[in-house]
Amino acid sequence: IHRSPYFKQNRFVQTAGYFMLTRVSSSSTFQPWSGATLDEIAEAGGDLAKITSASENQFIFDFVTKQKKITDLGVWLGLHRKSDNKFYWADDKLLSGYSNWNTGEPNNVAEKCGHMYSKGSAKGHWNDSYCTRANAHAKIAPVVLCQKSAKQ
């Protein structure tokens, strides 16, 4: 597995079963969604966040917006679009039941990953996005939000 230098420059912020990787430096290095599932997250006992209710969405939004290092694009969620053009969670379960897509989203089959906005009129809502960002957009890329079972 390729280890991104991004993980070496980060720290964990943790609360109530969720943890977040946040940038320590202002480097242009960023974390794409696909890199977010590297073994560092598994070693910490977690996976990308899965939101199944409005109360979970609000809890995560509140947690995210309290962080010092956050961008307008907020955090990556465990949502990814498969070849059938449907969204699945990182555990490979189909997105069903609760969702909090921003108005008009998801809107582009080329955008394969999901994130939660942390600022602006869409804050707390989800968006489909490209899984990687060009270096010019690295500073606005979502950070990685993970969760782990309270049993661990």
Side-chain angles (χ1 to χ4, degrees):
I1 293 176
H2 174 267
R3 286 183 182 259
S4 167
Y6 180 86
F7 279 101
K8 296 180 176 89
Q9 300 173 18
N10 285 274
R11 62 185 175 87
F12 287 105
V13 176
Q14 187 168 353
T15 187
Y18 293 91
F19 58 97
M20 187 179 322
L21 296 170
T22 60
R23 285 181 190 71
V24 171
S25 71
S26 59
S27 155
S28 65
T29 305
F30 69 100
Q31 183 61 28
W33 188 96
S34 58
T37 55
L38 293 173
D39 59 348
E40 287 89 345
I41 292 171
E43 287 171 15
D47 206 342
L48 289 170
K50 178 179 180 177
I51 301 173
T52 59
S53 70
S55 60
E56 279 183 343
N57 198 79
Q58 187 63 50
F59 177 85
I60 290 172
F61 175 74
D62 292 344
F63 172 60
V64 167
T65 56
K66 290 176 186 172
Q67 307 309 311
K68 292 179 184 177
K69 305 263 185 187
I70 199 71
T71 70
D72 290 356
L73 296 184
V75 292
W76 290 120
L77 300 174
L79 286 170
H80 62 285
R81 189 189 309 258
K82 289 191 173 186
S83 59
D84 63 2
N85 287 324
K86 294 178 183 175
F87 274 90
Y88 291 80
W89 292 106
D91 64 4
D92 281 331
K93 297 217 183 326
L94 179 66
L95 170 64
S96 62
Y98 178 79
S99 69
N100 198 34
W101 293 109
N102 195 33
T103 303
E105 302 294 344
N107 66 347
N108 183 341
V109 295
E111 295 176 331
K112 305 284 186 192
C113 296
H115 70 92
M116 177 194 285
Y117 287 111
S118 64
K119 299 177 183 175
S121 62
K123 63 186 176 185
H125 288 91
W126 308 349
N127 178 52
D128 58 335
S129 182
Y130 294 102
C131 300
T132 59
R133 300 223 166 243
N135 282 338
H137 297 109
K139 291 184 179 180
I140 65 166
V143 295
V144 178
L145 176 68
C146 309
Q147 68 185 41
K148 64 181 180 178
S149 168
K151 297 175 186 176
Q152 295 181 356

